[in-house]
Amino acid sequence: MERPAWAPQGIDISVPSVSRMYDFYLGGSHNFEVDREAARKAMEFMPGLPKIMQANRAFMRRAVRHAVSEGITQFLDIGSGIPTFGNVHEVAQAADPEARVAYVDHDSVAVAHSQAVLEGNDRAVIATGDLRRPQEILKSPEVSELLDLERPVALLLVAVLHFIEDADEPQAAVTKLSESLAPGSLLVITHASYEGIPLTQEEAGGAVGVYRNIRNPLIMRSRDEVSRFFDGYEMVEPGLVAMPNWRPDSPVVQEQEDPYAFSGFGGVGRKA
């Protein structure tokens, strides 16, 4: 398999990556055939996966604009993935040029491509880190030098918690991060769930099995389970809802939308 010029040395391009599969779903070009093969296999069971990812990105952008409207100009995006058009720093800095964004990802392709995209932007950085080790993220020089945790921050955990198994204690990781945030900070979460998917759980389970087979289990949690990540936060209206229903730019008529867009949940909470 030929290694593209943009692919960092040292990564195994024969192993699928959820970050690069996500990039493929969104129509990006920073993915390998092994990622495309796994993504296509998942789409055999759940053909609406690209639509879910698009809804996820659209929710993220609205949440970022909301944060800026609330006076928050610092963003910590963990599990940020490979940058695509309309990423957090572009949305935030379009609304406020002084906005600061720290991205964090453990995928070396995502980190390398982010470094290239962010070159020359002194208010946006990328750090290598894993949500399962929150203290390392908070102490990383990239994050600690750019963000002032004494002031409110918008913490984005977008499409990442569902890749953390219960055994790895995702709730503890969110709690640890939350303890470091100033009052008035926002927590932004999207999460996969069997709820809302226009398939039976057995049918959707085929796609989940693809992720399990590539050793990146996709943990489908219920609405109640996802809501627990917001413990200690006051939910911003309209609460934890299907992503298109969170503060849409225009009225949503669900019957006229792709039903896959309403899979899973998105929500924003404010720390008291």
Side-chain angles (χ1 to χ4, degrees):
M1 184 184 302
E2 184 177 350
R3 178 183 296 272
W6 51 262
Q9 294 297 320
I11 68 166
D12 186 347
I13 63 175
S14 68
V15 177
S17 154
V18 294
S19 293
R20 300 192 301 267
M21 290 170 67
Y22 188 91
D23 179 66
F24 172 72
Y25 292 135
L26 290 174
S29 59
H30 285 76
N31 48 77
F32 307 129
E33 181 55 35
V34 67
D35 306 308
R36 296 188 285 273
E37 183 179 340
R40 292 186 192 107
K41 183 65 176 177
M43 289 169 62
E44 289 177 12
F45 298 100
M46 198 182 296
L49 277 167
K51 189 63 183 180
I52 296 173
M53 306 312 167
Q54 292 165 17
N56 185 81
R57 296 287 296 185
F59 165 87
M60 177 273 288
R61 293 166 187 150
R62 297 196 303 276
V64 169
R65 290 196 295 268
H66 170 75
V68 175
S69 75
E70 292 290 302
I72 294 178
T73 58
Q74 301 190 107
F75 297 83
L76 176 56
D77 183 0
I78 301 177
S80 52
I82 295 168
T84 57
F85 175 75
N87 217 37
V88 175
H89 72 283
E90 293 175 323
V91 177
Q93 291 174 352
D96 186 332
E98 299 298 311
R100 296 173 178 266
V101 179
Y103 293 111
V104 179
D105 206 283
H106 65 78
D107 184 289
S108 55
V109 171
V111 172
H113 192 47
S114 297
Q115 288 170 337
V117 168
L118 299 176
E119 186 175 359
N121 188 331
D122 61 1
R123 291 185 174 86
V125 298
I126 176 71
T128 300
D130 192 313
L131 176 57
R132 289 166 288 198
R133 294 186 288 277
Q135 282 299 101
E136 292 181 13
I137 292 173
L138 294 169
K139 292 179 179 178
S140 68
E142 295 90 350
V143 172
S144 60
E145 291 173 11
L146 184 72
L147 303 183
D148 177 4
L149 297 184
E150 297 298 316
R151 298 192 298 112
V153 172
L155 170 61
L156 281 73
L157 302 177
V158 175
V160 63
L161 282 164
H162 48 231
F163 290 113
I164 308 297
E165 297 182 85
D166 289 341
D168 289 322
E169 301 184 327
Q171 184 73 61
V174 175
T175 298
K176 179 61 68 176
L177 290 165
S178 297
E179 290 172 350
S180 301
L181 301 181
S185 293
L186 297 180
L187 174 61
V188 179
I189 290 175
T190 64
H191 200 294
S193 176
Y194 284 119
E195 298 177 36
I197 294 179
L199 299 171
T200 67
Q201 183 167 329
E202 290 72 24
E203 289 170 332
V208 173
V210 171
Y211 283 90
R212 185 186 311 112
N213 290 340
I214 65 171
R215 299 182 181 178
N216 281 284
L218 178 59
I219 311 303
M220 308 289 268
R221 296 187 172 98
S222 68
R223 185 182 185 281
D224 286 345
E225 289 172 321
V226 176
S227 69
R228 291 175 198 145
F229 291 119
F230 289 101
D231 286 351
Y233 288 82
E234 175 187 354
M235 294 302 295
V236 172
E237 289 294 333
L240 186 63
V241 294
M243 293 177 289
N245 292 332
W246 195 90
R247 301 190 172 220
D249 296 326
S250 57
V252 174
V253 180
Q254 188 159 343
E255 293 75 15
Q256 298 176 3
E257 301 288 336
D258 188 317
Y260 277 98
F262 297 85
S263 306
F265 299 102
V268 178
R270 181 183 295 105
K271 183 176 179 180

